[in-house]
Amino acid sequence: MEIFHISAECYPVAKVGGLADVVGALPKYQNKAGHKVRVVIPCYDTKFRKENVFENVYSGNVLIGNFNYSFNVLKETTDKLGFELYLIDIPELFERKDVYGYTDDIERFLSFQIATLDWVLSRNKIPDVINCHDHHTGLIPFMMLYANKYQKLKETPSIITIHNGLYQGQFGFDKMNYLPEFDRSHTSILEWDNCINSLAVGIKCAWAVTTVSPNYLNEINYSANGLESLFNSVRYKSRGILNGIDIEVWNPKTDEMLAKNYSIKDLVKGKQANKEKLCSQFNLDPSKPLFSFIGRLFDEKGGDLLPKASEIALTDNKEAINILILGSGNPNIEKELTHLQSVYNGNFNVFIGYNEELAHLIYAGADFILMPSRVEPCGLNQMYSLRYGTIPIVRRTGGLKDTVIDFGDDGNGICHDQASVEDICYSIQRAVNLYKDKTHLNKIRKIGMSTDHSWERVCQEYLDVYNLIINKI
Ligand code: ADP
């Protein structure tokens, strides 16, 4: 079958978080399973764009209100990613360093969606299925059904995969004229809470809705940033599919970003070598248990709890632990963490920013990864940690609940129930005690490393959903 994935991110081309990892991996495994898979993302000013060769396969114009943007569709020439990659090049809107965070994000992603559909329509063949990802592509299922110029795509099944329901791409009806001409009797579909809500529109119009873990699908029925009743009403066409991880990219045996490669057989030596490199880089003591956090420093991730929890844990443990944090986000959290660095110099360090290589080294060299998330639709960090023999410490929420079981229940990690400083500190204390019992510690590490989170299995679940909706026609 011919499958299109349309997304704002795709690893290694442009990555902010887990969305990129999924869109960089799932298509590869669908391709391996014998399907023709194409990934379409905007053309940002990234290293990948500069270092690779592209051919122009289509040119057109997008009219957004009074603005007319010309665009090109660029195809990566080698297919080295394991699928066909297409970049929608609208220089005025996307030739920028960051993926998100601009005042014209609505215009940017709407143009991207329209340009993508224009190009899809211009090809001789209509795809078998279009898989949209998150709110940046949420208007596509609506336009395919109701925009006059896309009537040929009306019968093409669309699905929307929700990686994060907190962000919804809302905008006012004053911008409704940005959309291509559509059948106005369907205007009410655009509305949620008095504005146009791109995610809600996608959920209403897509033939199927998937979330990135089964437990997240349950949670959004009662906690979804205002979309609870909508999620309830589309339950009949929804499915929670747990994300996989790309075991080729995330493999401690072959990962080129590590100081030393290792497998389950020599995990103690391997992890120690990586820990030593990390500790020397960040002025930490490799003989102490190393706790790390990797991610966006926002309340959603429990980032606001990290400064106080670190302070208490470091005081309670009389300097018997190390903490290393990698991330960026809320400037107040960044400031508090940077302050701790001067107070607990030698036991605490923080790298403010995004650094893929450092993330890999941390997954390998840390002993425990902290994930005190308030919201975690799936979470990939805990799966990477498990694969690298690093024990995740998680709050039982979303996909974390689906993937991490407390070692007290013969599981692979450490779990707590509340997103609170107290719960994090209690878990850290349990981890410190566990660290002293090396036989038990290594047993749990091995359980984690043996867990199968590969995409092969998960890929079939997506194909099942596609087949189900295709067969409905
Ligand atoms: P999110 O909600 O941010 O998408 P996920 O757990 O699904 O969270 O995915 C996060 C991905 O982003 C992981 O691959 C993680 O290693 C990576 N990541 C997050 N922050 C950073 C950072 N500051 N530097 C490097 N990688 C990061």
Side-chain angles (χ1 to χ4, degrees):
M1 114 180 55
E2 189 188 41
I3 305 160
F4 271 64
H5 285 276
I6 308 177
S7 165
E9 303 177 34
C10 172
Y11 179 82
V13 193
K15 171 169 169 179
V16 176
L19 169 63
D21 288 354
V22 173
V23 177
L26 170 62
K28 187 157 89 180
Y29 289 89
Q30 290 178 332
N31 225 7
K32 277 188 190 168
H35 303 281
K36 188 86 198 147
V37 190
R38 306 175 205 280
V39 173
V40 190
I41 68 165
C43 183
Y44 310 100
D45 184 18
T46 64
K47 192 162 166 266
F48 188 94
R49 165 74 181 98
K50 288 190 192 103
E51 291 177 357
N52 290 277
V53 180
F54 294 82
E55 64 170 305
N56 191 355
V57 294
Y58 182 75
S59 299
N61 289 287
V62 191
L63 196 63
I64 295 283
N66 295 326
F67 299 97
N68 193 356
Y69 300 105
S70 50
F71 71 89
N72 292 313
V73 180
L74 309 178
K75 179 182 184 300
E76 197 273 325
T77 49
T78 63
D79 294 349
K80 65 180 173 188
L81 299 178
F83 49 81
E84 286 189 6
L85 171 75
Y86 295 87
L87 304 181
I88 304 293
D89 186 21
I90 315 175
E92 284 150 284
L93 296 173
F94 286 103
E95 210 173 282
R96 307 179 191 176
K97 206 171 73 23
D98 293 323
V99 173
Y100 316 114
Y102 299 98
T103 50
D104 58 351
D105 276 357
I106 291 298
E107 287 78 359
R108 295 170 75 223
F109 287 103
L110 188 52
S111 308
F112 163 63
Q113 293 174 82
I114 295 171
T116 300
L117 286 185
D118 281 0
W119 166 58
V120 169
L121 192 70
S122 75
R123 300 167 69 247
N124 342 340
K125 190 181 174 303
I126 302 286
D128 293 301
V129 64
I130 292 191
N131 196 154
C132 302
H133 295 267
D134 274 350
H135 76 83
H136 324 98
T137 57
L139 295 166
I140 284 180
F142 175 86
M143 294 192 284
M144 286 167 66
L145 287 176
Y146 305 119
N148 302 340
K149 65 172 169 170
Y150 303 131
Q151 283 306 290
K152 261 169 81 183
L153 299 173
K154 207 180 171 77
E155 301 292 321
T156 307
S158 63
I159 90 160
I160 185 154
T161 299
I162 296 166
H163 300 255
N164 195 336
L166 284 181
Y167 305 99
Q168 299 171 1
Q170 295 103 326
F171 56 99
F173 272 92
D174 54 322
K175 292 185 177 174
M176 189 172 76
N177 67 333
Y178 285 3
L179 288 164
E181 270 308 306
F182 65 94
D183 178 349
R184 294 292 161 130
S185 67
H186 296 292
T187 304
S188 64
I189 293 176
L190 296 172
E191 196 266 342
W192 193 264
D193 218 2
N194 296 323
C195 53
I196 298 177
N197 181 313
S198 307
L199 186 64
V201 175
I203 294 165
K204 290 180 196 180
C205 297
W207 297 32
V209 175
T210 62
T211 61
V212 288
S213 73
N215 190 46
Y216 186 58
L217 181 61
N218 293 332
E219 286 180 1
I220 52 180
N221 281 290
Y222 55 86
S223 172
N225 205 13
L227 297 186
E228 297 78 6
S229 60
L230 178 61
F231 279 117
N232 267 297
S233 70
V234 298
R235 192 68 198 228
Y236 70 96
K237 61 171 181 179
S238 308
R239 192 182 296 188
I241 303 178
L242 188 67
N243 277 340
I245 59 172
D246 191 333
I247 54 171
E248 288 167 11
V249 175
W250 298 94
N251 184 354
K253 234 175 175 170
T254 53
D255 189 334
E256 288 174 3
M257 300 183 215
L258 304 193
K260 180 175 168 51
N261 290 116
Y262 60 97
S263 68
I264 197 160
K265 287 195 198 111
D266 57 351
L267 84 100
V268 176
K269 266 196 194 153
K271 284 190 69 63
Q272 187 60 24
N274 287 295
K275 186 175 181 181
E276 279 167 16
K277 175 157 183 208
L278 257 186
C279 288
S280 79
Q281 211 172 316
F282 288 95
N283 185 31
L284 301 168
D285 178 351
S287 69
K288 296 174 183 171
L290 175 60
F291 294 81
S292 271
F293 170 95
I294 300 170
R296 296 178 291 114
L297 292 170
F298 290 112
D299 293 5
E300 168 194 351
K301 295 279 180 192
D304 56 317
L305 304 169
L306 288 174
K308 195 75 199 158
S310 301
E311 196 180 343
I312 294 176
L314 286 163
T315 313
D316 284 357
N317 287 286
K318 307 224 166 23
E319 305 205 344
I321 63 168
N322 287 325
I323 300 177
L324 173 62
I325 294 186
L326 164 63
S328 62
N330 180 332
N332 291 331
I333 304 175
E334 292 180 359
K335 213 159 82 190
E336 284 182 66
L337 292 171
T338 309
H339 171 69
L340 282 185
Q341 192 177 327
S342 55
V343 180
Y344 293 98
N345 189 15
N347 288 92
F348 181 94
N349 215 326
V350 57
F351 183 103
I352 301 293
Y354 186 93
N355 188 322
E356 190 75 24
E357 252 179 64
L358 179 55
H360 282 244
L361 190 62
I362 291 177
Y363 288 121
D367 296 297
F368 302 96
I369 289 283
L370 296 163
M371 297 186 75
S373 309
R374 289 194 173 77
V375 182
E376 197 63 82
C378 178
L380 295 171
N381 299 17
Q382 79 280 15
M383 295 198 251
Y384 298 146
S385 306
L386 291 168
R387 181 138 170 91
Y388 283 64
T390 302
I391 297 175
I393 298 181
V394 309
R395 173 173 173 246
R396 285 190 186 93
T397 186
L400 297 175
K401 203 168 164 182
D402 287 322
T403 48
V404 183
I405 297 164
D406 193 84
F407 74 95
D409 300 318
D410 294 329
N412 50 11
I414 298 178
C415 305
H416 52 88
D417 286 314
Q418 307 300 324
S420 69
V421 168
E422 291 73 22
D423 271 30
I424 300 171
C425 291
Y426 180 65
S427 288
I428 291 181
Q429 200 50 55
R430 290 182 71 209
V432 170
N433 294 336
L434 176 65
Y435 189 79
K436 290 178 192 150
D437 181 351
K438 293 289 186 290
T439 312
H440 198 182
L441 178 80
N442 288 327
K443 185 180 155 208
I444 296 163
R445 285 169 161 175
K446 284 181 184 167
I447 293 174
M449 288 182 87
S450 317
T451 317
D452 177 12
H453 281 299
S454 63
W455 272 109
E456 267 101 355
R457 185 182 45 77
V458 187
C459 168
Q460 189 53 47
E461 291 193 51
Y462 273 87
L463 297 171
D464 291 346
V465 174
Y466 300 164
N467 280 321
L468 208 69
I469 54 179
I470 287 170
N471 291 332
K472 266 192 191 153
I473 301 171

